[in-house]
Amino acid sequence: MFGKIDSPLDKKLSKVKWGEFKVGDLFKIQKITKMLSKEDLHSSFEYPVYSSDSSNNGIIGYTNEPEFICNENHPVYVTFGDHTRTFNIARYSFSVLDNVKVLVPCTSDINTLLFMVSCWKKQIPNLGYSRHWKVAKNCVILLPIINERKIDFDFISSFIAELEAERIKELEAYLKVTGFNNYELTKEEQDSLAVIGTKNVQWHDFKMEELFEKIPTIKLPYKAKELPKEATEKFVLPCLTSSFMNQGLNYYVPKEGATILKNVISIPSNSDVYRAYFQSNEFTVLSDAYAIRWKDKSIHISQNQYLFMVMCINKFTDLPIYSYKNKLGSWNVVKNMYVLLPIRENRIDFNFMELFINAIKKLTLKNVAEYSDNRINATKEVIKRS
């Protein structure tokens, strides 16, 4: 179910008895009476709003009037993105956009929910940009049991806690080997964070086609539905489509005959979500999307600088007007839009971009390190009680 797991966890799994459970008996769907749209959201509001998007844990914005309240009666909910098969666990009061189902689970233990949702998602086939709930609601999953039929919640919770601790130790080792365990900010990085929202940073509008160019790619003779969703011996190159799951890279093609791209920006041209991404690994374009790169070959753009510019690009592409119905995501439209970038002495301030993104990375790593320490200590307590 979870692949090969190193001892002693694999030994624990080998002794488990399993029982079948219909998800409809474990998760009760809730009626949604107040459907929000993107226009209702604001970053300054308090309560998260979940969409069918797979990024940012499904949170697309915030509202001040949540429909679902997390309290003693309902400490957690589970949301399901109908188009993306995406599950999220909501522990704070929230609302939802269209194409999201809201469920009340049979348990409020987060570890147990992670286990159950993982089992459930494996049973839902990927139907592409279709509605998955019609299939998901009828799934039957296998769960550990005791006393012949009762779900073994204690085992599930302790197993996930130990699995998490094991993976966190691997993460700590990786960060140490790669040098990413150093997350102390330099004076310049601290300054970049302090001034980002102030008048000390000057911004200027740049027309997209003045900065970027669309990369020509060879048209591939494949249809997405015919391609594997995992790499095989021959199909090893991720290919880009308009999907917003996994940054649009959900299928694999052979390298032969493909235009291999790396360290460029991808944008969907035919989607409901026009979010740009920086692609740091090799990929190619299949359909309904394209890639752009920095136009001036005399200037080397680093990964950090590309990441900064992607955030700026998404300020104008990730908007309701760029919807599938309006067909406004093509390069012929986007190239005429304007992107705001920081400047210094009338030149694009690439150094500021570099410092700011590096500071964000270090803060994230600091949070990861603190989280890993807390989770390992919490896991030790769970193991003692199990």
Side-chain angles (χ1 to χ4, degrees):
M1 180 175 296
F2 291 92
K4 188 179 186 303
I5 302 172
D6 293 336
S7 180
L9 294 180
D10 56 340
K11 293 181 180 178
K12 285 191 173 184
L13 278 180
S14 65
K15 299 177 181 179
V16 169
K17 292 183 179 180
W18 301 85
E20 292 185 343
F21 296 87
K22 188 176 180 180
V23 293
D25 297 328
L26 305 174
F27 298 86
K28 301 299 182 183
I29 190 166
Q30 302 297 290
K31 184 178 180 181
I32 300 172
T33 60
K34 185 180 179 182
M35 194 67 67
L36 300 178
S37 65
K38 284 186 178 181
E39 290 84 354
D40 299 318
L41 312 183
H42 198 283
S43 60
S44 65
F45 291 162
E46 183 177 358
Y47 300 99
V49 176
Y50 291 88
S51 72
S52 191
D53 197 348
S54 59
S55 61
N56 195 34
N57 292 326
I59 298 175
I60 196 169
Y62 295 85
T63 179
N64 274 339
E65 299 180 0
E67 178 174 0
F68 298 95
I69 308 300
C70 291
N71 52 31
E72 292 182 359
N73 294 327
H74 295 296
V76 297
Y77 290 84
V78 172
T79 66
F80 175 78
D82 209 351
H83 286 312
T84 57
R85 302 179 300 145
T86 302
F87 289 93
N88 288 291
I89 298 173
R91 290 185 284 178
Y92 305 98
S93 300
F94 67 97
S95 289
V96 297
L97 297 189
D98 193 14
N99 300 318
V100 177
K101 305 298 182 185
V102 178
L103 312 168
V104 173
C106 64
T107 176
S108 60
D109 180 73
I110 302 302
N111 284 345
T112 303
L113 284 176
L114 289 171
F115 189 99
M116 295 169 70
V117 165
S118 297
C119 295
W120 188 0
K121 189 169 184 178
K122 284 180 174 291
Q123 303 301 317
I124 309 171
N126 187 351
L127 304 177
Y129 194 72
S130 301
R131 296 185 183 278
H132 292 80
W133 180 248
K134 57 187 177 184
V135 177
K137 65 183 180 181
N138 294 317
C139 286
V140 174
I141 61 176
L142 289 173
L143 296 176
I145 58 173
I146 55 175
N147 300 330
E148 300 303 324
R149 185 58 187 167
K150 185 179 179 182
I151 298 175
D152 194 347
F153 291 109
D154 290 338
F155 170 82
I156 294 174
S157 184
S158 63
F159 176 82
I160 292 298
E162 290 184 64
L163 183 62
E164 183 181 27
E166 185 179 87
R167 296 298 182 261
I168 288 174
K169 287 180 180 178
E170 292 177 3
L171 173 62
E172 288 180 325
Y174 169 78
L175 293 176
K176 186 175 182 179
V177 169
T178 57
F180 288 156
N181 59 333
N182 176 20
Y183 43 77
E184 293 299 322
L185 297 178
T186 65
K187 174 67 165 54
E188 292 79 8
E189 290 166 349
Q190 291 176 0
D191 291 343
S192 71
L193 292 174
V195 302
I196 185 65
T198 71
K199 295 181 179 180
N200 292 325
V201 178
Q202 292 183 307
W203 300 82
H204 183 72
D205 280 319
F206 294 90
K207 195 173 184 179
M208 283 290 289
E209 69 173 346
E210 295 175 353
L211 302 180
F212 299 95
E213 62 182 1
K214 181 182 177 183
I215 305 172
T217 57
I218 299 171
K219 184 174 177 59
L220 299 175
Y222 308 107
K223 293 183 179 180
K225 63 181 180 180
E226 300 170 349
L227 295 172
K229 297 180 177 65
E230 296 182 358
T232 65
E233 184 176 351
K234 181 181 179 182
F235 292 73
V236 296
L237 184 64
C239 56
L240 183 71
T241 66
S242 63
S243 170
F244 43 83
M245 294 186 293
N246 196 34
Q247 299 189 0
L249 302 173
N250 296 288
Y251 305 96
Y252 290 83
V253 297
K255 282 191 173 183
E256 292 76 17
T259 305
I260 300 177
L261 305 173
K262 183 180 180 180
N263 292 332
V264 296
I265 295 172
S266 68
I267 304 177
S269 61
N270 191 15
S271 178
D272 272 342
V273 178
Y274 288 95
R275 186 167 294 131
Y277 295 104
F278 173 66
Q279 306 290 358
S280 60
N281 296 316
E282 289 187 347
F283 75 102
T284 193
V285 175
L286 180 63
S287 61
D288 296 323
Y290 55 95
I292 61 174
R293 64 190 169 198
W294 191 255
K295 201 171 185 177
D296 188 349
K297 301 299 188 296
S298 67
I299 300 176
H300 171 72
I301 304 299
S302 70
Q303 290 194 2
N304 281 355
Q305 291 158 359
Y306 262 130
L307 286 169
F308 189 102
M309 288 188 283
V310 160
M311 295 190 303
C312 298
I313 291 171
N314 281 333
K315 286 291 185 180
F316 72 81
T317 61
D318 192 16
L319 297 173
I321 61 168
Y322 291 91
S323 71
Y324 173 78
K325 297 176 182 178
N326 295 330
K327 308 288 185 183
L328 292 177
S330 72
W331 176 241
N332 287 334
V333 174
V334 172
K335 71 180 182 181
N336 294 312
M337 303 300 288
Y338 286 81
V339 59
L340 269 177
L341 294 178
I343 60 171
R344 185 181 182 85
E345 298 179 353
N346 295 321
R347 293 176 179 269
I348 296 176
D349 195 347
F350 293 106
N351 185 56
F352 177 80
M353 296 183 191
E354 186 76 25
L355 290 170
F356 181 80
I357 294 298
N358 217 43
I360 295 297
K361 285 182 176 180
K362 285 185 176 181
L363 289 177
T364 302
L365 290 172
K366 182 179 181 180
N367 290 336
V368 169
E370 292 174 349
Y371 170 82
S372 65
D373 289 341
N374 292 335
R375 293 304 299 168
I376 287 176
N377 291 332
T379 299
K380 290 178 180 178
E381 294 300 318
V382 172
I383 294 173
K384 286 179 182 178
R385 297 195 300 266
S386 62

